[in-house]
């Protein structure tokens, strides 16, 4: 799991000698630092900062959690007076507005930093170039665009929410080599091995929300929580339940008020009972009357400040997300087993799909994970949406 800012005191000593003394090397280190907040910074972006004076790193930091110091202020605190005359390497344009913490532009100016090298513009409309302008007005040299593609990928959920008002959707599935997620009778427990199940827990921890369907809840009664030692933030749990069949004693309800249910039902008595259990019930009224509108679900989750949504569902809901072109990234865990053609497939579509209209994903990674193979793929249009902004 991620380290807290309190651990940053050792970061410089442990990493300065291993960091390549070049702009690329420093920015690579920035991205490494930023990634340490993968499971904790939500809904804020993942940000790291390295302060360099001459060829020496004098301060480092990363944003750990919303409400705590931003990466720039962590690095400046560590550097102290050594920050004066230094160059700040940051993966995201410094903020210039008052949020839970003061603007980082003010901190950089006050500390006497003479140059800022950022990987990318902040897509947040409240910033979006304003941070750079303030720095330039204060006489600080500004460069941007270094390792921008890597920076955009690291914060793809935040970028998607800010640019399109919808979260980045990762669909996870576990299957046999012939693409079956369960036997003919529905049994599916532990298709993949322990290491893959641990990786799924990490994916959950890095997500703003975990989304599933009512059929999965009724069949498996899952908790849909992160079960990693040291977890400090549980993702929002989301259930799509058009007829509001969610049992009052379902384990996914929990006791933390972190469950949102989307429904078409007008059963006021059931809604009241769930609300009494701190469940947020959202009634959709602009669907076709039979199926929930996935686009509207995602738009609503964006309003809840969800950067990244992980879909863990059965073949019907997973297929519906793909049919709706709502999946940005696929993460499939394949076990070395076979269940045959009568096993349940990964994705069930509402209507046949001709080859000419196949869903196109770009394979980006495939690697062994214990005895399993993990395949990662990105929707081609989603990949193109992460294009750099004008600088």
């Amino acid at each position: 799991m991620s380290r807290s800012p309190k651990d940053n005191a050792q970061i410089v000593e442990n990493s300065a000698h291993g960091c390549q003394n070049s702009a690329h090397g420093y920015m690579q280190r920035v991205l490494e630092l930023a990634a340490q907040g993968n499971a904790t910074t939500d809904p804020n972006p993942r940000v790291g900062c390295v302060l360099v004076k001459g060829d020496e790193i004098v301060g480092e930091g990363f944003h750990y959690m919303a409400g705590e110091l931003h990466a720039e202020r962590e690095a400046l605190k560590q550097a102290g007076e050594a920050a004066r005359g230094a160059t700040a390497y940051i993966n995201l344009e410094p903020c210039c507005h008052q949020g839970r913490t003061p603007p980082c532009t003010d901190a950089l100016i006050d500390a006497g930093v003479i140059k800022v090298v950022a990987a990318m513009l902040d897509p947040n409309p409240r910033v979006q170039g304003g941070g750079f302008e303030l720095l330039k007005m204060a006489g600080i040299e500004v460069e941007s665009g270094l390792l921008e593609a890597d920076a955009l990928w690291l914060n793809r959920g935040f970028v998607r929410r800010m640019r399109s008002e919808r979260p980045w959707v990762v669909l996870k599935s576990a299957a046999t080599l012939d693409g079956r997620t369960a036997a003919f009778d529905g049994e599916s427990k532990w298709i993949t091995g322990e290491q893959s199940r641990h990786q799924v827990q990490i994916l959950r921890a890095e997500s703003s929300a975990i989304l599933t369907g009512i059929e999965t809840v009724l069949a498996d009664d899952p908790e849909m929580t992160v079960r990693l030692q040291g977890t400090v933030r549980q993702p929002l749990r989301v259930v799509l339940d058009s007829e509001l069949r969610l049992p009052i004693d379902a384990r996914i309800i929990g006791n933390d008020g972190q469950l949102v249910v989307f429904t078409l039902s007008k059963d006021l008595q059931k809604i009241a009972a769930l609300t009494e259990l701190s469940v947020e019930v959202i009634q959709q009224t602009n669907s076709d009357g039979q199926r929930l509108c996935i686009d509207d679900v995602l738009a609503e989750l964006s309003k809840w400040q969800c950067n990244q949504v992980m879909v863990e569902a059965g073949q019907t809901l997973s297929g519906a997300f793909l049919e709706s072109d709502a999946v940005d990234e696929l993460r499939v865990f394949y076990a070395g087993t076979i269940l045959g053609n009568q096993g349940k497939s990964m994705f069930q579509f509402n209507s046949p799909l001709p080859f000419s209209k196949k869903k196109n994903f770009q394979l980006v990674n495939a690697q062994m994970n214990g005895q399993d193979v993990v395949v990662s793929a990105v929707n081609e249009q989603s990949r193109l949406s992460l294009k750099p902004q004008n600088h």
Side-chain angles (χ1 to χ4, degrees):
M1 292 296 294
S2 304
R3 287 183 281 188
S4 76
K6 299 177 182 63
D7 298 314
N8 279 350
Q10 287 297 314
I11 292 178
V12 169
E13 181 179 349
N14 293 340
S15 66
H17 298 296
C19 182
Q20 183 181 353
N21 291 335
S22 69
H24 276 78
Y26 296 134
M27 191 61 78
Q28 286 282 10
R29 177 59 185 162
V30 165
L31 293 169
E32 291 171 6
L33 287 165
Q36 292 188 46
N38 276 355
T40 56
T41 62
D42 208 79
N44 288 353
R46 300 150 179 171
V47 184
C49 178
V50 170
L51 294 171
V52 179
K53 198 169 185 178
D55 289 331
E56 181 185 358
I57 293 178
V58 295
E60 289 187 340
F62 68 94
H63 182 45
Y64 177 64
M65 183 175 287
E68 297 194 2
L69 291 180
H70 286 190
E72 297 94 324
R73 290 182 177 271
E74 281 290 343
L76 290 169
K77 183 175 70 172
Q78 191 176 86
E81 284 300 315
R84 191 161 299 278
T87 295
Y89 290 85
I90 316 165
N91 61 300
L92 186 70
E93 175 186 4
C95 63
C96 56
H97 64 280
Q98 177 72 45
R100 298 193 207 183
T101 57
C104 290
T105 48
D106 291 358
L108 292 165
I109 293 167
D110 293 343
V113 168
I114 61 171
K115 184 176 180 179
V116 169
V117 180
M120 60 177 281
L121 286 164
D122 191 333
N124 186 342
R126 299 176 68 185
V127 184
Q128 211 164 36
F132 288 157
E133 286 304 313
L134 283 174
L135 294 173
K136 291 174 183 177
M137 288 171 60
I140 295 175
E141 184 182 352
V142 173
E143 291 182 8
S144 63
L146 180 63
L147 299 186
E148 185 168 12
D150 294 332
L152 284 163
W153 180 255
L154 176 68
N155 275 309
R156 56 197 179 277
F158 182 76
V159 172
R160 168 56 61 83
R161 179 165 69 88
M162 289 296 154
R163 290 184 179 179
S164 307
E165 296 184 341
R166 56 152 286 182
W168 182 270
V169 176
V170 179
L171 194 156
K172 164 261 169 184
S173 187
T176 60
L177 286 177
D178 56 342
R180 305 295 165 176
T181 59
F184 71 95
D185 57 1
E187 183 178 353
S188 63
K189 191 172 184 179
W190 308 148
I191 282 183
T192 53
E194 184 176 345
Q195 286 179 256
S196 290
R197 297 197 294 274
H198 178 76
Q199 188 66 36
V200 170
Q201 292 297 315
I202 294 174
L203 283 173
R204 286 184 178 183
E206 294 177 351
S207 300
S208 311
I210 304 167
L211 186 150
T212 193
I214 185 60
E215 297 297 344
T216 297
V217 174
L218 294 175
D220 302 332
D221 194 21
E223 291 182 343
M224 289 292 184
T225 55
V226 178
R227 296 184 293 276
L228 293 174
Q229 187 175 5
T231 298
V232 298
R233 180 193 64 85
Q234 286 290 346
L236 191 69
R237 299 184 298 281
V238 180
V239 176
L240 303 195
D241 182 6
S242 59
E243 298 176 4
L244 208 56
R245 292 182 288 156
L246 179 67
I248 295 297
D249 60 352
R251 294 199 303 166
I252 199 169
I253 291 176
N255 57 7
D256 58 2
Q258 283 285 91
L259 176 64
V260 178
V261 176
F262 287 85
T263 188
L264 301 174
S265 173
K266 298 178 181 178
D267 186 342
L268 298 181
Q269 185 175 356
K270 182 66 174 289
I271 292 172
L274 290 170
T275 302
E276 188 70 22
L277 296 172
S278 299
V279 177
E280 183 76 23
V281 180
I282 298 177
Q283 292 175 283
Q284 268 193 13
T285 57
N286 57 343
S287 70
D288 60 8
Q290 295 181 326
R291 296 179 64 172
L292 289 159
C293 176
I294 289 175
D295 286 340
D296 288 348
V297 167
L298 294 176
E300 181 65 27
L301 291 179
S302 176
K303 295 176 183 176
W304 283 62
Q305 294 188 301
C306 290
N307 293 331
Q308 181 169 305
V309 172
M310 178 179 175
V311 176
E312 285 194 77
Q315 61 179 177
T316 302
L317 185 55
S318 295
F321 263 80
L322 281 166
E323 275 190 302
S324 301
D325 292 321
V327 177
D328 300 299
E329 186 177 347
L330 280 171
R331 199 73 60 90
V332 184
F333 295 79
Y334 287 102
T337 53
I338 301 288
L339 278 172
N341 68 310
Q342 294 187 51
K344 293 184 179 296
S345 63
M346 281 191 280
F347 313 121
Q348 177 179 305
F349 285 1
N350 200 40
S351 57
L353 191 68
F355 189 81
S356 61
K357 294 185 179 180
K358 63 186 181 297
K359 305 298 179 181
N360 293 313
F361 283 79
Q362 179 183 6
L363 292 171
V364 294
N365 192 28
Q367 62 183 41
M368 295 297 298
N369 194 50
Q371 296 300 306
D372 306 321
V373 175
V374 186
V375 175
S376 300
V378 180
N379 182 294
E380 289 188 1
Q381 292 303 312
S382 302
R383 180 179 58 82
L384 292 174
S385 74
L386 293 175
K387 59 185 179 183
Q389 296 172 310
N390 293 325
H391 293 259

